[in-house]
Amino acid sequence: MTAGDDTAAARHAVLRNAAAIALTTGAYALSFGAVGVAGGLSVWQTCVLSLLMFSGGSQFAFVGVLGGGGAAGSAVSVALLLGGRNAFYGIRLAPLLGVRGVRRVLAGHFVLDETTAMTVAQGSTPLQRYAFWSTGPMLFAMWNLGTLVGALGAGELADPRVLGMDAAAPAAFLALLWPRLREAGAVPVALAGTAVCLAAVPFVPVGVPILLAAGVAIVAGAVTYRRAS
Amino acid sequence: MSNWPAVLVASVGTYALKLLGILVPERVLNHPLVRRVALLMPVTLLAALVVLQTFSTGTRFVLDARAAGLAAALVAVICRAPFLVVVVAACVTSALVRLLT
């Protein structure tokens, strides 16, 4: 991997990949917009989530808890716990991007699963920076456009379940989960967390079971970190 | 309208977490315990969310068309289908099941 990778052809390939990811994201955002409104948020609230939170997993989890009748505190906690991974993407990206001053405020907004994957996949620093600063804004544009259209469309639909929209979030979570199952020791912890979560469903308020799963992850991490380090 | 405080707090908090990674010196978040929990947290939450949002509504367990949607999504991820195909497969399958039952 040399600076020679940073050619016009390489930049073109980055843009093509970024556009493909952005298109996929736009379609996924349609379902988020519909699910947000179906979950009881206004069109405005759904769009503000996409503008400010701009993190698909956290947004779906947030409206899932709120739409299911969960407390606001539970919805906020789940969004933050799931968004915590972005802090670690930031650590990975900061030395590659070399951003300073006020540009860090903007760079922070674009720290996501997709931008991190695109950035670290490039072979040279200029290409990495090009990938980050092209993927981020394209994703942001398509994510927000898709959300707006989906949210407005859901208002027209009597029941978004007719289109199977309520199956979108679990499927998206599954797609995000699948590649992570290869992490060392992850499967037993995920199973234990899920079991605790399910066992609690009939007995505690909506939104609390998922927080109990988070508790399992923390306890398991504390018990096993010495072996992993 | 009472959802606004939750929407804003969750949004600002999630953004703050992204910014945190860019701003803080690497060693602060690089403690092995923090790294281990950070690795396990998304896996555990995503697994629990998949099952929870497929098989429950509120505080009750429900078996409905979402289960068929999840089965289709599972087939799609096993076949290494792109993200969008996974989501669309789930939506179409559960919509069809609702249409036919």
Side-chain angles (χ1 to χ4, degrees):
Chain A
M1 302 293 174
T2 64
D5 285 344
D6 185 31
T7 59
R11 286 183 176 231
H12 234 90
V14 167
L15 274 189
R16 242 196 339 266
N17 283 338
I21 293 171
L23 276 181
T24 300
T25 301
Y28 179 40
L30 283 176
S31 67
F32 173 72
V35 167
V37 170
L41 296 181
S42 67
V43 171
W44 265 109
Q45 288 166 339
T46 307
C47 288
V48 164
L49 277 179
S50 282
L51 283 168
L52 298 183
M53 191 183 285
F54 187 40
S55 191
S58 291
Q59 289 179 224
F60 266 108
F62 180 84
V63 298
V65 172
L66 220 51
S74 301
V76 172
S77 305
V78 172
L80 295 181
L81 285 166
L82 207 49
R85 73 187 187 285
N86 290 325
F88 292 86
Y89 294 156
I91 291 178
R92 186 91 191 274
L93 290 174
L96 305 180
L97 298 176
V99 282
R100 310 230 174 283
V102 76
R103 271 165 69 92
R104 292 188 294 189
V105 174
L106 188 59
H109 206 43
F110 295 144
V111 172
L112 298 165
D113 294 309
E114 295 87 347
T115 48
T116 305
M118 276 289 284
T119 303
V120 302
Q122 309 306 321
S124 69
T125 301
L127 261 191
Q128 284 168 338
R129 293 178 184 178
Y130 185 75
F132 181 83
W133 290 109
S134 57
T135 310
M138 281 163 88
L139 275 180
F140 185 74
M142 291 307 290
W143 182 245
N144 284 285
L145 183 67
T147 301
L148 177 64
V149 173
L152 291 174
E156 303 296 311
L157 274 176
D159 183 358
R161 287 185 305 172
V162 172
L163 294 182
M165 287 295 192
D166 54 341
F173 290 137
L174 181 68
L176 290 174
L177 169 68
W178 202 251
R180 292 168 192 272
L181 289 176
R182 283 191 298 251
E183 310 272 15
V187 171
V189 179
L191 286 176
T194 304
V196 168
C197 173
L198 283 185
V201 163
F203 306 109
V204 298
V206 175
V208 175
I210 192 68
L211 300 180
L212 295 176
V216 169
I218 292 171
V219 170
V223 171
T224 61
Y225 85 93
R226 272 173 226 286
R227 247 185 304 156
S229 60
Chain B
M1 287 301 107
S2 59
N3 287 325
W4 274 117
V7 166
L8 294 176
V9 170
S11 296
V12 171
T14 305
Y15 169 69
L17 285 169
K18 296 182 190 176
L19 193 61
L20 185 73
I22 297 270
L23 293 184
V24 299
E26 197 177 336
R27 64 177 186 283
V28 177
L29 284 180
N30 241 348
H31 187 277
L33 171 61
V34 177
R35 292 193 69 92
R36 186 72 186 148
V37 171
L39 186 130
L40 293 174
M41 184 66 76
V43 185
T44 310
L45 284 184
L46 289 168
L49 282 167
V50 168
V51 178
L52 194 66
Q53 296 205 353
T54 303
F55 299 106
S56 76
T57 298
T59 57
R60 288 179 307 118
F61 292 112
V62 180
L63 188 64
D64 61 14
R66 287 174 295 176
L70 185 68
L74 188 62
V75 171
V77 291
I78 289 171
C79 296
R80 297 169 177 272
F83 185 83
L84 187 58
V85 175
V86 176
V87 174
V88 170
C91 291
V92 170
T93 304
S94 73
L96 281 177
V97 167
R98 285 208 177 93
L99 199 67
L100 297 174
T101 52

